[in-house]
C-alpha cells in the first residue's frame, strides 16, 4: 500500500480546508469501502481526512417534521437509536440488515450514500422518503443526488454533513439479499406520506430508481395486492452471478409487496 498522510480535523471547515490543501486527498468515514479500495490499489490518496473526530456529524435528531441523521452515524447507531425507532422504524430495520456486525459497527450512512453502490440499502430509503442530502455548502434533493453507477451529484471535496428524512405516515423496506455480503440483490422501499406514495428500488439496476406505476396503484389502494400484477421491464436491469435481469424484475414485485406489508405493520 502506498503511504499517505492522515488528518483528523475537529470541525467540518477544517476538514474542507485539509481536503483543499492536499490534492488527491479523500474523506474517510468508517473505511468499509475506502480502505479495501486502497489496499487493492484501486485508489492511492495522498491524504486521508478522517471525519470521526467531528462530534456533530454523528448526531441523530428530530427537527420539525424531519428526522436528521448525521453523516457519521454508523449503521449500528441507526439500529439502536430510540429516535429512529419511534419516528421512522423502517430505517432501523434497514440498517439492521446491512452486512455483518463488523460492517454495521464501522460503516456510516454518509459513506454509504456518497459511495452510491448499486446494491446499497440506504439509497432506496433516501429516494423513497424524498430525503435531502445536506452538505457543507447546499441541500440536495434525493431525486437529484443519485446520478448513476457509483455516481452522485456531489462536487469535488463536497462533504455530506447529514441526511434529512421527512417523517412519513408509514414506510417499509424489504430486500432479497446476497447470502455472502448481504448487499441487496433487489431491495424495495415504500413510503407513504399523506396521500402520496413513493417506491424506490435498489440492487436491480445500475442506480436506485422509482416505480411510478406502483406508486399510482398504491395511492389508490395501499395494500400488497394493489401491485401484485405490476412487473417492471427487465431491460436495463443488472445481470450477474447473483441473478439475471428477468429474475431481478420478478423480485422487484415480490419485494415491493413485502415492503408494503411491512409498512402496514409499521416496521
Ligand atoms: C463485507 C461488506 C458487506 C456490506 N454489506 C452491505 C449491505 O448489506 N448493505 C449496504 O447498504 N452496504 C453494505 N456494505 C457497505 C457498508 O454499509 C458501508 O456503508 C459502505 O461500505 C461505506 O463505508 P463507510 O461508511 O465506512 O465509508 P468509507 O469507506 O470511509 O467511504 C466511502 C466513500 O465515501 C466517501 N465519504 C465518506 N463519508 C463522506 C462524507 N460525509 N461526505 C462525502 N463523502 C464521504 C469517502 O471519501 C469514500 O469515497 C458492506 C460493506 C462490506 C465491506
Amino acid at each position: 500500500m502506498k503511504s499517505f498522510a492522515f488528518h483528523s480535523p475537529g470541525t467540518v471547515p477544517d476538514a474542507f480546508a485539509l481536503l483543499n490543501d492536499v490534492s488527491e486527498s479523500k474523506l474517510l468515514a468508517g473505511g468499509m469501502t475506502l480502505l479495501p479500495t486502497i489496499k487493492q490499489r484501486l485508489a492511492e490518496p495522498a491524504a486521508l481526512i478522517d471525519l470521526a473526530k467531528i462530534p456533530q456529524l454523528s448526531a441523530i435528531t428530530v427537527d420539525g417534521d424531519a428526522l436528521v441523521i448525521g453523516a457519521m452515524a454508523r449503521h449500528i447507531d441507526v439500529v439502536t437509536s430510540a429516535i429512529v425507532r419511534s419516528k421512522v422504524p423502517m430505517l432501523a430495520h434497514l440498517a439492521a440488515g446491512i452486512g455483518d456486525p463488523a460492517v454495521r459497527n464501522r460503516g456510516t450512512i454518509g459513506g454509504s450514500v456518497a459511495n452510491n453502490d448499486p446494491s446499497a440499502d440506504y439509497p432506496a430509503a433516501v429516494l423513497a422518503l424524498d430525503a435531502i442530502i445536506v452538505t457543507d455548502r447546499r441541500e440536495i434533493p434525493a431525486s437529484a443526488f443519485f446520478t448513476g453507477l457509483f455516481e452522485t451529484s456531489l462536487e469535488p471535496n463536497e462533504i455530506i454533513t447529514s441526511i434529512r428524512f421527512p417523517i412519513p405516515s408509514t414506510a417499509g423496506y424489504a430486500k432479497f439479499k446476497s447470502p455472502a455480503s448481504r448487499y441487496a440483490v433487489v431491495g424495495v422501499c415504500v413510503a407513504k406520506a399523506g396521500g402520496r406514495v413513493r417506491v424506490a428500488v435498489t440492487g436491480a439496476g445500475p442506480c436506485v430508481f422509482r416505480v411510478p406505476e406502483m406508486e399510482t396503484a398504491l395511492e389508490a389502494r395501499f395494500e400488497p395486492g394493489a401491485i401484485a400484477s405490476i412487473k417492471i421491464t427487465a431491460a436495463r436491469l443488472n445481470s450477474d452471478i447473483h441473478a439475471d435481469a428477468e429474475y431481478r424484475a420478478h423480485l422487484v414485485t415480490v419485494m415491493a409487496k413485502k415492503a408494503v406489508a411491512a409498512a402496514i405493520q409499521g416496521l
Side-chain angles (χ1 to χ4, degrees):
M1 192 191 296
K2 193 177 149 224
S3 63
F4 53 81
F6 186 84
H7 300 283
S8 211
T11 67
V12 172
D14 285 351
F16 179 69
L18 284 160
L19 271 175
N20 274 343
D21 276 0
V22 187
S23 66
E24 305 293 319
S25 55
K26 293 281 285 179
L27 291 172
L28 176 68
M32 285 291 101
T33 290
L34 184 54
L35 295 185
T37 309
I38 294 172
K39 283 184 186 165
Q40 291 163 25
R41 297 170 192 260
L42 297 171
E44 294 196 329
L48 290 185
I49 317 299
D50 182 20
L51 296 174
K53 298 274 167 56
I54 307 177
Q56 67 269 33
L57 290 185
S58 300
I60 297 177
T61 57
V62 172
D63 180 18
D65 58 2
L67 170 68
V68 183
I69 303 184
M72 285 296 286
R74 300 166 305 155
H75 308 322
I76 192 68
D77 299 324
V78 174
V79 175
T80 55
S81 163
I83 297 176
V84 175
R85 285 170 172 268
S86 75
K87 297 298 179 186
V88 192
M90 176 273 292
L91 285 172
H93 165 71
L94 176 152
I98 293 176
D100 51 33
V103 171
R104 292 194 289 277
N105 277 295
R106 293 295 306 172
T108 66
I109 190 169
S112 174
V113 169
N115 196 46
N116 193 19
D117 187 297
S119 299
D121 297 295
Y122 272 124
V126 170
L127 190 59
L129 290 171
D130 203 13
I132 303 281
I133 293 85
V134 183
T135 77
D136 59 336
R137 64 199 72 165
R138 60 187 171 137
E139 298 192 344
I140 310 171
S143 54
F145 184 82
F146 302 107
T147 52
L149 184 74
F150 291 105
E151 296 284 340
T152 70
S153 56
L154 285 173
E155 295 166 353
N157 296 351
E158 186 165 11
I159 304 173
I160 299 174
T161 53
S162 64
I163 319 280
R164 196 179 164 87
F165 294 96
I167 297 170
S169 325
T170 189
Y173 180 69
K175 76 167 161 177
F176 186 87
K177 56 181 182 280
S178 153
S181 68
R182 298 185 180 84
Y183 272 109
V185 176
V186 168
V188 180
C189 187
V190 173
K192 188 169 194 244
R196 307 312 302 266
V197 175
R198 289 166 68 101
V199 177
V201 178
T202 189
C207 185
V208 64
F209 61 89
R210 287 172 64 189
V211 188
E213 197 182 349
M214 288 187 178
E215 293 175 354
T216 305
L218 289 168
E219 281 170 7
R221 189 161 59 100
F222 195 74
E223 56 184 73
I227 53 172
S229 62
I230 299 176
K231 189 183 172 206
I232 68 163
T233 169
R236 294 191 299 276
L237 295 191
N238 299 335
S239 267
D240 54 29
I241 56 165
H242 303 294
D244 66 15
E246 273 297 333
Y247 186 45
R248 278 188 160 91
H250 167 75
L251 283 175
V252 169
T253 306
V254 176
M255 291 304 119
K257 285 167 57 187
K258 285 180 182 280
V260 174
I264 290 169
Q265 287 175 49
L267 291 176

